Amino acid sequence: MSVELNHTIVHARDNRESAEFFADLLGLEITAEWGPFIAVGLGNGITLDFATIPADHIAMQHHAFLVSEKEFDAAYARISERGIEHYADPHRQQPGEINHNDGGRGVYFMDPAGHAMELITVPYGGWTS
């Protein structure tokens, strides 16, 4: 068996708020709840397991998600409708914009716990054969 990422824990001020924000924004489902975790399943079998911890213990993380053009359109519509601050760049110098890198589109925004989220439609470096 090859090594595969199965899940990762995402610290949150409120695990339900963060899990629901993420699932709703990307049209995903909460797949399980156990102990301190609320899991959101991704298309490749990986789960993001949101866990509530004290706010002063949360270190900002960056999570980038490869999505289809259709998923990007739907998520970006939700971002715009909800007035979520978003940027074309990770340094937040281009507010209210998306980028067009490597022949695709991308956008950066923060989740309720302060994590930097990114949606891209083409992997960095473009698609390889």
Side-chain angles (χ1 to χ4, degrees):
M1 176 176 163
S2 63
V3 176
E4 297 180 1
L5 180 63
N6 177 265
H7 69 277
T8 191
I9 296 171
V10 180
H11 292 162
R13 290 186 303 261
D14 178 322
N15 61 354
R16 180 157 309 281
E17 175 189 32
S18 288
E20 289 177 354
F21 170 86
F22 185 77
D24 185 53
L25 193 70
L26 292 178
L28 301 171
E29 298 290 326
I30 291 176
T31 57
E33 297 183 38
W34 63 94
F37 306 109
I38 298 178
V40 176
L42 304 179
N44 54 354
I46 295 169
T47 61
L48 299 180
D49 296 358
F50 292 88
T52 299
I53 68 166
D56 62 336
H57 287 67
I58 297 173
M60 193 265 303
Q61 296 177 314
H62 173 76
H63 301 282
F65 301 93
L66 182 61
V67 298
S68 70
E69 292 287 339
K70 183 177 178 181
E71 291 164 330
F72 186 93
D73 288 341
Y76 189 68
R78 290 182 194 108
I79 288 168
S80 297
E81 289 165 4
R82 295 174 188 170
I84 296 170
E85 289 185 28
H86 60 281
Y87 306 86
D89 66 304
H91 303 292
R92 297 188 271 184
Q93 300 298 309
Q94 299 171 304
E97 298 179 34
I98 64 171
N99 66 55
H100 298 275
N101 296 331
D102 296 312
R105 297 181 291 161
V107 66
Y108 296 83
F109 58 95
M110 304 302 279
D111 84 341
H115 297 299
M117 301 295 200
E118 177 183 8
L119 304 178
I120 56 174
T121 61
V122 173
Y124 285 106
W127 295 106
T128 58
S129 304

